[in-house]
Amino acid sequence: MPHPEFVGLVNSLQATAEAALGDFNAATASAARDGLLAENRARQTAERSLKLLTMLAEKTRGNLDFTEADLLTDAIGSLRERLSEFPGASGPTSPGGH
């Protein structure tokens, strides 16, 4: 059974990155209010969230149940793809060498 706080953490990091990349919904409104989505910070905000998710995957490898591991893998893959398509991208982003 996935740990609710773990799921919340992954969803929060992913929502912040998605908001920075232009996806707005109720869960991402606080990122806009906190100034994390200003044009000059949007890519930086998304990359920081991706780096945190990647680090989380590395540090928890072998300690997650299937649902948690799948959630984390999907979030990382989705954000890498979005960042590679984001204006100003120089190619696929690979924080942490992944």
Side-chain angles (χ1 to χ4, degrees):
M1 176 111 193
H3 194 284
E5 283 80 13
F6 180 84
V7 172
L9 174 62
V10 171
N11 287 338
S12 175
L13 289 169
Q14 184 175 10
T16 298
E18 288 174 344
L21 297 172
D23 293 348
F24 292 100
N25 58 45
T28 60
S30 66
R33 188 177 55 248
D34 294 341
L36 297 176
L37 310 185
E39 187 174 325
N40 60 339
R41 291 188 61 192
R43 184 171 185 85
Q44 178 184 6
T45 298
E47 287 175 342
R48 184 177 304 121
S49 291
L50 178 56
K51 287 177 183 180
L52 288 170
L53 287 167
T54 302
M55 182 269 311
L56 188 61
E58 292 169 1
K59 297 293 185 180
T60 59
R61 188 170 288 127
N63 292 313
L64 302 177
D65 69 21
F66 178 77
T67 303
E68 293 167 337
D70 196 40
L71 175 71
L72 192 51
T73 299
D74 288 349
I76 291 168
S78 174
L79 292 177
R80 281 185 177 151
E81 183 177 332
R82 292 287 308 277
L83 275 166
S84 72
E85 299 168 353
F86 193 70
S90 57
T93 301
S94 257
H98 295 278

